[in-house]
Amino acid sequence: MTDGNAPGMTPTLRVADVSKSYPGVRALQHVDLEVLPGEIHAVIGENGAGKSTLMKIVFGVTQPDSGAIEVQGTPVHIGSPVEAQRLGVAMVHQELSLVPALDVARNIYLGREPSLALGIIDWPALYRNAGALLRRLGIALNPRQVVRGLSTAHKQMVEIARALSWQSKLLILDEPTSSLTQGEIRELFRILRDLKTGGVSVLYISHRLEELPEIADRVTVMRDGHTVGTVDARSTPIPALIRMMVGRGVDQLFPRAHVPIGDEILRVEGLTRHGVVEDVSFSVHAGEIVGMAGLVGAGRSETARLIVGADKKDAGRTIIDGRVVEIGSPAVAIAAGIALLPEDRKQQGLVLPLPVKNNLSLATLREFTRFGIVWQRERDRMAQRFVRDLSIRTPNLDFRVRNLSGGNQQKVVLGKWLGSHPRVLIFDEPTRGIDVGAKVEVYEEMNDLIARGAGILLISSELPEVLGMSDRVLVMHEGRLVADLPRAEATPERVIALASGEELPVLTSAHHG
Amino acid sequence: MADGQEPPAFSAEAQVGSDVALSGRRSRLTQFLLRYGIVLALVALGAVFAWRSPVFLTSENLLQVLLQASVNIIVALGMTFVIITAGIDLSVGSTAALSGMVAATTMSTGLPIVGIAVSWPVAVLVGLLTGVLVGFASGVIVTSLRITPFIVTLGMLSVVRGLTLIYSGGRPVFGFPEGFTNLAGTIGPVPTPAIIAGILAIISAFVLRFTRLGEYTYAIGGNEEAARLSGVPVDRYKIAIYTLCGAFAAVAGIVLTARLRVAEPNAASGYELDAIAATVMGGTSLFGGEGTVVGTVIGALIIATLRNGLNLLNVQAYYQQLAIGLVIILAVALDRFRQR
Ligand SMILES: Nc1ncnc2c1ncn2[C@@H]1O[C@H](COP(=O)(O)OP(=O)(O)OP(=O)(O)O)[C@@H](O)[C@H]1O
Ligand SMILES: [Mg+2]
């Protein structure tokens, strides 16, 4: 299946019979993969299927236990990322890896700064080169901009620029679109198509199957450490891809259960943090899922953080069950029944060196504690339940979350918050990096929550998710709430227009009291 | 690592059993070495000294090693808690000195300020309270002013030493009741300080492994922001942990005073370094989120064994310094390798 696409063409990359085990996990078993020159080759599969592991091997981050790798027809041993880059292989990781304190240009050329005699860095050349590279890639960024303040999308652009500052023949992208909005994805695809025209091959991991026909030439599907097959991206329907991935069909992508909407549980009024969030007011009722759309940087995550007291607000009040509650810290929010599932699992969601069970119980440890002592049996039972319900792929409950695959890490964060019996759960990008099958499980958990009388605020950059799951849709633009639409009036076009500021706000200040 | 925060690589492998081919078996051996490497280091060290010196393996000498390790173990236990939260406490030596001094003066001239004479156990409590207050102050400064623990406790190192000198007028205090000096006696053949250290070590291990305080200690060090967003009252727990560390330092200072039968204003200087060395050798990560009591105790035993053995071999003090420094670097290098 992998052959015969273009006979006689030497593949840019050939992976043959590669296997890799970690203690307790067989991550890859006899994997084959072939990437042709100028091909955009997608790799898909369930969480923990081995996609990232395969890419790390090709990029020299880890070594396979057995198998062979050829780059442009030559058998190679890739011992480190530096060797990979010398061979023309570049990679943008699933988790971004820039130095926040340095500017764009210095990040791009980190460790390879153009230098004059005596190792003195040639600063003018550095910024000139960086400027030229960014222009060539069509990335509108100032080389002197410090990375810390950039949006995730822009950081990703910097990573891509860095990867391409080597004369790369193969660019590996591990879930590049998982934190991008539609517009930014379009921008990324334009860059990838330009590269393709220039003969660069792209290996591309994604859980967003709907984007594959648009960007990819071929798709390789992985399951349980095996390659299931390689198919044509344009002619293969998405349901067929899903069946290859999970071994069964998924009939409904957004299984939304409707329950009667009850009383108002949470209302915020005039929530403000100067320069980020201005005068935001809305409410959430029992049994209701309120979606929140907007571009990256529109202030959605910040709004969520203000509600739970993770950041200090300048103005505004929070009303829970009709009573004003002063929420000064996340601990107070949780005690009041309001929980936030944060957007960045590594920075805000997980304690990486700790085991799965400790992470799952971090928000609810009180329930398992008597006389200050944690009762292991009860905690294990809870952890076991979430590992099963969310199908978290882990060898055991004591496995460090650092060693889980990205999507399985996300499931641990989800489990932690689902187990906290919140009255209102704020989900910030809950399904980022999660495979199709597992997404449905997450939506089922949401249904469970509202059936039990909780309310949900669902922040997501995936419009289909917001539209598929919400009763009402809030739209934010530049720190302000610009719309509060019933589901029926929230068409994709309308939401996009509102989010980008093309349609005027449909909210007036009459809305808050 | 026996504290279970190290995920059991063994059970993970056991589940796969024969599935894992050669690579698995090799990694099991390496895992073993890396996990118990520090124990092997201690045993190897002991073996060398036993071979070179007939005295080393005698029970009197081994008990002497225990006695010499005791004070450092006590200080290092508190340090372990602090370092697991990704903090550090450089003031423990000064805190030990001040606490010992306060206990000593209370014994000889009565309660501070009011001057009412009290029995020695009350004096010991007053000394303990002193350490608690110093630790509490460090914790409050660290959390409320958001200054890094390194800077805060570096300042406290000097402040507390200054207080000790001012309070004592720079003069040593001695002449203690027998009940107090018995704190440094023996119970059966075993030195009482070693028993105190042992009991505190068992309590610490239990707290870290089985209590909410322990879980939060690891969580705060592993990812403070995640812990905070999960509703952990991070500041309150940090203050508690620095307070605990101050209390441990106070116990050490009091035991030291009993053993030396004198409270010197310059006592215990540099003890913070021995405690940090023991903790880090024992596998506690300076980046936080990882560490065990067992490791720390073994780290402290290695330092004491090294000092004792080199003394027996009549190695000059200068070379002892050198050797101890090298062993610390070696042990931590081993740990870095383990992290891979
Ligand atoms: N360093 C490691 N130690 C132990 N196991 C590991 C390590 N890295 C990865 N694994 C395991 O290897 C398996 C494959 O992980 P990998 O990251 O390749 O999955 P993935 O297909 O990229 O998943 P996702 O879609 O969630 O990102 C997982 O079960 C994971 O737990
Ligand atoms: Mg991955």
Side-chain angles (χ1 to χ4, degrees):
Chain A
M1 243 172 175
T2 50
D3 234 340
N5 199 331
M9 211 191 259
T10 312
T12 307
L13 172 75
R14 214 166 81 82
V15 171
D17 201 26
V18 160
S19 298
K20 168 83 184 171
S21 293
Y22 291 106
V25 184
R26 289 205 276 177
L28 296 177
Q29 296 176 62
H30 310 290
V31 165
D32 299 310
L33 178 73
E34 208 176 65
V35 185
L36 301 173
E39 177 188 34
I40 299 183
H41 193 121
V43 177
I44 63 172
E46 285 182 293
N47 297 128
K51 306 177 296 292
S52 296
T53 305
L54 179 60
M55 302 307 153
K56 283 182 195 157
I57 285 173
V58 173
F59 192 56
V61 178
T62 43
Q63 303 304 313
D65 299 337
S66 63
I69 297 175
E70 286 175 18
V71 173
Q72 296 196 308
T74 322
V76 290
H77 169 83
I78 307 178
S80 70
V82 175
E83 283 179 49
Q85 282 164 336
R86 270 198 216 109
L87 289 165
V89 178
M91 175 158 175
V92 175
H93 288 273
Q94 188 166 7
E95 321 292 341
L96 301 179
S97 57
L98 298 172
V99 183
L102 299 183
D103 63 25
V104 169
R106 293 195 63 186
N107 264 290
I108 292 177
Y109 290 106
L110 196 63
R112 303 167 291 127
E113 294 83 357
S115 50
L116 306 166
L118 301 173
I120 297 166
I121 294 176
D122 184 354
W123 294 108
L126 179 83
Y127 288 100
R128 217 168 34 241
N129 294 354
L133 178 67
L134 292 171
R135 255 194 315 284
R136 183 160 63 79
L137 295 173
I139 299 173
L141 269 182
N142 180 353
R144 291 181 189 274
Q145 165 90 45
V146 173
V147 160
R148 195 192 307 284
L150 294 178
S151 69
T152 313
H154 280 142
K155 284 183 190 156
Q156 207 142 34
M157 301 288 172
V158 177
E159 289 251 9
I160 292 172
R162 178 168 75 182
L164 293 169
S165 63
W166 302 75
Q167 296 299 309
S168 308
K169 295 187 277 290
L170 174 65
L171 175 64
I172 301 174
L173 297 162
D174 195 347
E175 295 191 38
T177 55
S178 64
S179 44
L180 302 190
T181 53
Q182 245 88 3
E184 292 157 341
I185 291 174
R186 235 173 287 134
E187 182 75 353
L188 173 70
F189 285 178
R190 187 189 56 70
I191 295 174
L192 295 187
R193 282 196 205 94
D194 283 357
L195 289 173
K196 176 184 164 71
T197 318
V200 175
S201 308
V202 178
L203 246 177
Y204 178 95
I205 300 182
S206 181
H207 287 295
R208 293 191 164 184
L209 305 184
E210 68 280 0
E211 69 194 19
L212 298 183
E214 188 191 339
I215 187 66
D217 299 307
R218 289 192 297 165
V219 183
T220 291
V221 183
M222 295 187 67
R223 194 196 317 158
D224 289 337
H226 297 274
T227 30
V228 181
T230 299
V231 295
D232 184 82
R234 279 173 199 84
S235 62
T236 313
I238 290 175
L241 288 176
I242 294 178
R243 218 166 303 117
M244 284 176 80
M245 263 177 75
V246 302
R248 62 184 159 83
V250 172
D251 7 284
Q252 218 189 343
L253 288 182
F254 300 106
R256 176 60 211 276
H258 284 274
V259 301
I261 291 180
D263 295 336
E264 176 184 281
I265 316 178
L266 169 74
R267 185 161 91 240
V268 295
E269 289 178 355
L271 204 58
T272 301
R273 182 180 168 90
H274 296 307
V276 207
V277 172
E278 303 288 345
D279 194 16
V280 167
S281 307
F282 64 88
S283 60
V284 179
H285 298 76
E288 184 183 39
I289 299 183
V290 179
M292 191 182 251
L295 302 181
V296 168
R300 295 171 299 165
S301 298
E302 194 51 46
T303 301
R305 288 177 61 87
L306 292 179
I307 294 174
V308 300
D311 290 325
K312 290 261 162 296
K313 58 179 182 254
D314 293 321
R317 19 181 238 165
T318 308
I319 294 118
I320 299 171
D321 293 329
R323 250 183 316 223
V324 177
V325 180
E326 192 44 56
I327 296 181
S329 74
V332 175
I334 290 167
I338 309 223
L340 165 65
L341 181 143
E343 63 175 332
D344 184 333
R345 56 177 170 257
K346 292 238 159 136
Q347 300 299 323
Q348 305 161 343
L350 295 169
V351 185
L352 290 174
L354 291 194
V356 170
K357 66 177 183 197
N358 301 60
N359 272 283
L360 279 172
S361 61
L362 189 56
T364 47
L365 202 56
R366 258 160 222 288
E367 290 172 28
F368 307 104
T369 316
R370 249 164 289 140
F371 314 114
I373 295 167
V374 180
W375 294 81
Q376 306 290 333
R377 279 263 207 80
E378 293 172 30
R379 194 247 298 270
D380 283 2
R381 209 174 307 134
M382 179 279 274
Q384 198 61 57
R385 182 165 79 78
F386 280 107
V387 165
R388 192 186 53 235
D389 287 359
L390 297 173
S391 34
I392 299 172
R393 283 181 51 134
T394 177
N396 55 53
L397 298 177
D398 290 310
F399 200 66
R400 289 190 193 215
V401 292
R402 171 179 286 143
N403 292 336
L404 290 179
S405 79
N408 284 301
Q409 290 179 340
Q410 182 69 19
K411 292 183 196 171
V412 172
V413 185
L414 276 162
K416 173 170 79 178
W417 289 115
L418 291 171
S420 71
H421 325 296
R423 306 235 23 231
V424 175
L425 183 44
I426 306 175
F427 288 95
D428 195 354
E429 307 288 355
T431 59
R432 173 179 292 175
I434 288 194
D435 68 54
V436 243
K439 268 185 192 172
V440 176
E441 287 158 30
V442 172
Y443 300 142
E444 295 289 5
E445 294 280 350
M446 289 186 185
N447 286 334
D448 266 11
L449 272 178
I450 55 171
R452 275 183 277 147
I456 289 176
L457 177 63
L458 170 60
I459 302 173
S460 172
S461 296
E462 277 192 59
L463 202 47
E465 181 171 280
V466 171
L467 298 181
M469 291 302 292
S470 308
D471 297 293
R472 258 186 314 134
V473 178
L474 309 175
V475 185
M476 284 192 73
H477 174 66
E478 294 184 346
R480 288 180 184 278
L481 195 64
V482 293
D484 185 341
L485 306 171
R487 172 65 191 87
E489 292 173 30
T491 59
E493 298 74 27
R494 184 126 189 253
V495 172
I496 290 170
L498 281 161
S500 55
E502 284 157 25
E503 183 181 330
L504 291 179
V506 292
L507 273 184
T508 56
S509 50
H511 216 78
H512 42 87
Chain B
M1 270 118 269
D3 277 7
Q5 287 305 332
E6 175 78 62
F10 293 98
S11 61
E13 280 175 17
Q15 289 201 347
V16 194
S18 56
D19 275 8
V20 179
L22 247 178
S23 73
R25 230 175 296 131
R26 195 195 55 209
S27 88
R28 191 175 300 189
L29 178 67
T30 3
Q31 292 270 352
F32 177 84
L33 280 179
L34 294 173
R35 197 166 182 191
Y36 296 105
I38 182 100
V39 183
L40 293 183
L42 180 59
V43 172
L45 211 57
V48 171
F49 289 138
W51 168 50
R52 302 297 303 173
S53 155
V55 186
F56 181 79
L57 266 191
T58 60
S59 56
E60 294 102 90
N61 186 58
L62 290 181
L63 289 172
Q64 185 64 28
V65 172
L66 270 188
L67 176 63
Q68 284 167 351
S70 304
V71 169
N72 189 20
I73 289 177
I74 297 169
V75 178
L77 289 173
M79 190 67 80
T80 304
F81 276 85
V82 171
I83 294 184
I84 291 174
T85 67
I88 193 125
D89 190 347
L90 298 174
S91 71
V92 286
S94 304
T95 305
L98 180 63
S99 307
M101 182 59 75
V102 169
T105 26
T106 306
M107 261 178 278
S108 55
T109 60
L111 286 176
I113 306 161
V114 290
I116 301 168
V118 291
S119 63
W120 70 264
V122 176
V124 166
L125 279 182
V126 174
L128 269 178
L129 191 67
T130 310
V132 164
L133 286 178
V134 172
F136 181 77
S138 297
V140 168
I141 298 171
V142 166
T143 51
S144 62
L145 301 185
R146 311 251 160 237
I147 307 175
T148 55
F150 186 93
I151 305 291
V152 171
T153 59
L154 185 64
M156 289 300 272
L157 178 152
S158 191
V159 167
V160 175
R161 184 66 69 183
L163 285 177
T164 315
L165 286 160
I166 295 165
Y167 180 66
S168 66
R171 283 178 297 274
V173 176
F174 40 81
F176 306 129
E178 200 185 317
F180 178 72
T181 48
N182 276 348
L183 284 180
T186 55
I187 295 178
V190 187
T192 313
I195 291 173
I196 295 173
I199 291 171
L200 291 178
I202 290 168
I203 294 174
S204 302
F206 181 84
V207 168
L208 272 180
R209 177 76 178 80
F210 292 114
T211 68
R212 190 164 70 214
L213 172 63
E215 292 246 347
Y216 284 172
T217 305
Y218 286 105
I220 290 170
N223 188 344
E224 187 172 328
E225 175 70 357
R228 198 166 72 92
L229 288 177
S230 300
V232 177
V234 170
D235 286 355
R236 220 183 304 154
Y237 274 88
K238 274 192 177 172
I239 292 173
I241 287 161
Y242 281 92
T243 305
L244 192 74
C245 184
F248 276 111
V251 173
I254 290 161
V255 169
L256 185 70
T257 306
R259 201 179 96 202
L260 302 178
R261 291 165 185 261
V262 57
E264 293 263 13
N266 280 318
S269 64
Y271 277 29
E272 60 279 353
L273 299 182
D274 271 2
I276 294 169
T279 307
V280 175
M281 274 165 87
T284 300
S285 161
L286 285 172
F287 298 112
E290 290 178 60
T292 63
V293 165
V294 178
T296 297
V297 169
I298 294 173
L301 287 177
I302 287 183
I303 295 175
T305 304
L306 207 56
R307 289 226 169 93
N308 173 275
L310 294 174
N311 268 334
L312 291 180
L313 301 183
N314 288 321
V315 175
Q316 274 183 20
Y318 302 161
Y319 289 92
Q320 291 193 19
Q321 288 275 89
L322 183 89
I324 290 170
L326 289 178
V327 167
I328 290 171
I329 293 173
L330 207 72
V332 177
L334 191 83
D335 194 54
R336 281 291 151 283
F337 179 66
R338 189 179 65 90
Q339 311 256 315
R340 298 275 159 82

